[in-house]
Every structure is written in C-alpha cells, then in structure tokens.
Amino acid sequence: MEITPLGDSALIVRVNENFEPAPEETLNVVLATQRRLEAAQLPGVIELAPAYTTVALFYDPASAVEAGAPAEDLFGWYKERIGTALRSVAGVADPGRAQAKRKHAIEIPVCYETEFAPDLEDIARHARVRQKEVIELHSGAEYHVHCVGFTAGFPFLGGLPSQLATPRRSTPRKEIPAGSVGIGGAQTGIYPVKSPGGWNIIGRTPLRLFDPQKNPPALLRAGDRVRFRAVTREEFQAMK
C-alpha cells in the first residue's frame, strides 16, 4: 500500500504495483479499499475514484482544516487517517466479499453493422479472423468495468479476448459518435458522449451511458460486469 499526494487537494492510494498478472484480484482489492474509505467518512472528502490499481481521494482543504487538520500538512493528516481506516475496517483482503456485492452482468446491445463499425475490418485483419468471428468473440466474452473516466461515464472494460487486442489508431479521430464501442490495446470501451478518440470502432450501442439528469448519471461503475449482445440495424433503430 502506497499513499502519495496528487496536487494540493487530492491523493492516491496505490493498492497494487501491476494490474496485468491478476486483474480480478486487483479489482477486488481496489473496490474493497474504496468501500473501507467510504465507511471511514473522513472529514472533507469530496470523492473517491477507483482505477486499475489505485483509489484517488479528493478533498476540500478548508473543510479539512475546520475538522482539525494542520493547514501546513494536509497530506500527512489524511495519510495517517487513511492508514488507520484501512487497518481498522475488515474486508480489504477478502476478494469474495467484493465479488459478492456485484449485481448480475449488465447487457449492452451493440450493432456491428458497417456504418457503425469503421474499424471492424482492420481488427479482423489484425486478428487474422473473419469479421463475423470478431463479432462472435467480442460479444461472447464477459467483461468487468475496472474504472470510469476519460470522458463522463466512459467505461474501461477488462476481459477482451486476447486474440482481439489491437493497438490504438496511429491517428485519433476528431469526432467519435456517442455510443461507439471500441477496442484499444487489450481493453474494450464505450464512448458515452461525442468526443475525439483513438480506439478502433467496431460497433455502436443505442443505450445512453451518461445522463446528467439521472442519479447516478453514469450507467456503469467500477466493479460492474458487462456482456455485449449483437443486434440488427432494425433493432438498433427501434431501441433509439
């Protein structure tokens, strides 16, 4: 466990050095760490953001000082309390507990038709399979959301079949339509809003992954299980 500052109003709790050797175990420990910090209700904490091997803790300095933190060493004050919280609340080393709290896999319909999948052919060529096999492999796997970021509600999904792992595009596109499903390296993800991007686009979902009018606004969060379901163009339009 390593705790390091992140600017003047945040810090990083690193729970593991490397993600790749044991992605599921690392995800479980990250989520358990997040829950323990939530349970500690540390003064001034604004948000806890889990990522692949870390939990970021964002805080309001003024609120921390009001709670008794020394203005000259907010980081040290939080570091001490985080250490106490992670030692005093049971469950951080219990992967089964983290796994048990997850809901059933969330189904995401995806249309892999040509107009929604400009890079499907490139992925098939890189994987040395037919485009149909790319779709079958991609929609046949189960994924886990390891973190959410880049743009509002963008899920980084682990569990992509290794055969489909493909480097990001050498030249990013200036505009990716909302709902686009892409592959970037060993991950797959979904663009919730229109934005630039360099991932290889192989389909599109009609679902809205980010809605600021809802609470929570993001459809997916770290720890969720996800499966993709291939749909026809007609089904896609009907769901829109």
Side-chain angles (χ1 to χ4, degrees):
M1 185 76 69
E2 179 185 17
I3 304 174
T4 56
L6 181 66
D8 62 356
S9 58
L11 53 83
I12 290 285
V13 180
R14 186 174 301 279
V15 303
N16 207 336
E17 282 297 323
N18 298 307
F19 168 79
E20 289 83 3
E24 289 307 305
E25 290 81 355
T26 301
L27 174 61
N28 287 333
V29 176
V30 166
L31 295 177
T33 300
Q34 179 189 11
R35 290 198 309 274
R36 293 176 74 177
L37 293 176
E38 289 171 344
Q41 297 184 329
L42 300 177
V45 173
I46 299 171
E47 183 178 6
L48 294 165
Y52 279 94
T53 60
T54 63
V55 177
L57 183 149
F58 298 86
Y59 59 86
D60 173 36
S63 297
V65 171
E66 287 179 5
E72 67 278 5
D73 189 20
L74 292 177
F75 170 72
W77 188 81
Y78 271 112
K79 183 177 181 179
E80 179 181 351
R81 279 152 183 77
I82 289 170
T84 299
L86 296 183
R87 287 191 299 268
S88 63
V89 182
V92 72
D94 180 5
R97 181 181 175 191
Q99 183 74 23
K101 284 184 173 289
R102 294 183 199 153
K103 49 194 172 186
H104 296 297
I106 297 170
E107 185 179 88
I108 305 291
V110 179
C111 183
Y112 296 93
E113 295 290 345
T114 303
E115 67 255 46
F116 301 136
D119 300 315
L120 184 59
E121 183 178 352
D122 291 341
I123 295 290
R125 187 182 304 112
H126 185 271
R128 297 181 179 180
V129 298
R130 295 175 299 165
Q131 294 184 33
K132 180 182 178 182
E133 292 177 81
V134 172
I135 297 170
E136 290 173 349
L137 286 167
H138 188 263
S139 60
E142 181 172 279
Y143 303 89
H144 283 95
V145 180
H146 286 279
C147 60
V148 176
F150 166 57
T151 59
F154 186 107
F156 289 83
L157 302 172
L160 181 74
S162 58
Q163 194 173 2
L164 298 183
T166 307
R168 291 171 173 80
R169 292 172 52 83
S170 57
T171 303
R173 292 185 172 92
K174 295 180 180 179
E175 186 175 292
I176 303 290
S180 294
V181 177
I183 291 175
Q187 306 171 104
T188 190
I190 310 168
Y191 287 78
V193 296
K194 182 173 64 177
S195 71
W199 289 34
N200 303 281
I201 305 304
I202 63 168
R204 192 180 303 174
T205 179
L207 299 187
R208 188 175 182 182
L209 269 72
F210 181 77
D211 184 349
Q213 303 302 317
K214 292 184 177 180
N215 185 22
L219 175 64
L220 301 174
R221 60 182 180 180
D224 283 342
R225 294 161 50 214
V226 172
R227 296 193 71 96
F228 294 110
R229 177 173 64 89
V231 298
T232 64
R233 184 184 294 104
E234 291 72 24
E235 290 175 302
F236 176 91
Q237 295 297 341
M239 293 179 193
K240 289 283 285 186

